[in-house]
Amino acid sequence: NAGVMQNPRHLVRRRGQEARLRCSPMKGHSHVYWYRQLPEEGLKFMVYLQKENIIDESGMPKERFSAEFPKEGPSILRIQQVVRGDSAAYFCASSPQGAGPTDEQFFGPGTRLTVL
Amino acid sequence: GDSVTQMEGPVTLSEEAFLTINCTYTATGYPSLFWYVQYPGEGLQLLLKATKADDKGSNKGFEATYRKETTSFHLEKGSVQVSDSAVYFCALSDLDSSYKLIFGSGTRLLVRP
C-alpha cells in the first residue's frame, strides 16, 4: 500500500522560472494538504484541497502560488517566477476525509526546492 | 495566534540513554496535540497524540502527557536506540480549522552506539 508520493524530491530552479511540485495521495484519500517548511522553521499550512475544489488557501502567498487537485492525476503546487525566498521544503499530506482535530494526516517525503 | 515551541536541537545521546524533548504550546482553547517523526529520506509519520488534558499518548516506547497547567506536551523515552535517530515535530490542531496542523520547528535526535 503505497504512501503519499511526491516528485520531484529535489528541484533546482533559477530566479524567474516556474516550479511544479506534484503530490499523489494515498489510495482512497481525496483530501490533500500542502505545507511549507522554511529553513530553521516548522511546517506551515498553505492550502487544503479536495478533488476539483480548493477548500482553504489561507496560507498561500497571494501572488505567484497556485494549487490544484484535478479529478484525475496528482495535486500540483505551482510557483511562478520563483525567487530565492521560495527555497524551502514543500510537504504534501492526505487524509481519507476532511481531517478532524484528532485525525492523522499522512505525509509525503517532501520536495526540496532550491532557487539559485 | 496558536503556536508551538520546541527545544532546539540537535540532541545527541548514547544508546540506552533517557530522552526528553520539550514542547510547549500557546492556544486559546484545548487543541489536540501530536508528535510526528521524520526518519531520513521519509515523510512525517504520526508517533503519538493526545486529545484532552491529562491524556497520555504512547507508541514504540515513547510517551507524552497533555499538561494543561503548564501548556506542555514533552516527549520522553526511557531508553533510546540508534534507530530512533530522526527529527521530531510537536504539533497542535488549529481549533478553528481542525485540518490545519501547527508545527514546532522540529528537534533532531542523534543516537550514537
Side-chain angles (χ1 to χ4, degrees):
Chain A
N1 186 12
V4 177
M5 311 282 281
Q6 288 189 250
N7 67 80
R9 295 289 303 274
H10 300 275
L11 181 61
V12 179
R13 286 287 178 266
R14 296 190 181 281
R15 281 178 296 169
Q17 292 183 320
E18 179 180 286
R20 282 186 182 239
L21 288 62
R22 295 176 192 77
C23 169
S24 296
M26 285 183 70
K27 188 176 181 181
H29 289 195
S30 58
H31 298 252
V32 165
Y33 317 85
W34 285 91
Y35 291 81
R36 177 167 68 171
Q37 184 182 27
L38 295 170
E40 308 303 322
E41 295 186 15
L43 284 72
K44 289 191 166 50
F45 170 84
M46 298 180 75
V47 62
Y48 164 29
L49 309 108
Q50 277 181 271
K51 287 278 187 182
E52 300 184 279
N53 284 306
I54 297 174
I55 307 301
D56 181 352
E57 56 182 350
S58 59
M60 290 270 275
K62 294 289 186 280
E63 297 177 352
R64 302 187 296 108
F65 284 71
S66 62
E68 63 176 7
F69 189 16
K71 187 176 180 182
E72 302 292 337
S75 175
I76 306 285
L77 179 67
R78 183 181 176 208
I79 311 172
Q80 295 179 288
Q81 299 177 314
V82 296
V83 301
R84 289 218 173 104
D86 297 332
S87 295
Y90 293 82
F91 290 91
C92 167
S94 72
S95 63
Q97 54 208 20
T102 64
D103 293 332
E104 179 178 2
Q105 293 181 20
F106 296 82
F107 283 81
T111 294
R112 275 151 184 81
L113 172 65
T114 301
V115 179
L116 302 178
Chain B
D2 295 354
S3 65
V4 175
T5 302
Q6 285 183 241
M7 63 188 288
E8 287 192 21
V11 173
T12 304
L13 295 173
S14 298
E15 206 165 20
E16 299 184 4
F18 184 85
L19 168 71
T20 300
I21 299 178
N22 290 337
C23 170
T24 57
Y25 66 90
T26 301
T28 52
Y30 303 109
S32 295
L33 301 174
F34 305 84
W35 277 100
Y36 278 82
V37 58
Q38 184 181 26
Y39 298 103
E42 299 183 14
L44 282 73
Q45 304 171 24
L46 180 64
L47 181 59
L48 53 84
K49 67 181 180 183
T51 60
K52 59 183 188 297
D54 300 325
D55 262 3
K56 178 186 283 188
S58 61
N59 186 25
K60 299 181 181 179
F62 291 89
E63 291 183 341
T65 301
Y66 191 138
R67 301 283 188 203
K68 183 179 65 173
E69 308 80 16
T70 54
T71 62
S72 64
F73 193 53
H74 303 321
L75 182 68
E76 296 182 335
K77 187 175 185 183
S79 176
V80 293
Q81 306 300 313
V82 172
S83 57
D84 293 327
S85 298
V87 181
Y88 292 81
F89 293 91
C90 184
L92 60 80
S93 58
D94 186 286
L95 287 167
D96 293 326
S97 305
S98 59
Y99 47 82
K100 287 184 193 177
L101 292 172
I102 297 169
F103 285 88
S105 56
T107 303
R108 182 176 300 277
L109 171 65
L110 177 61
V111 181
R112 300 192 185 280

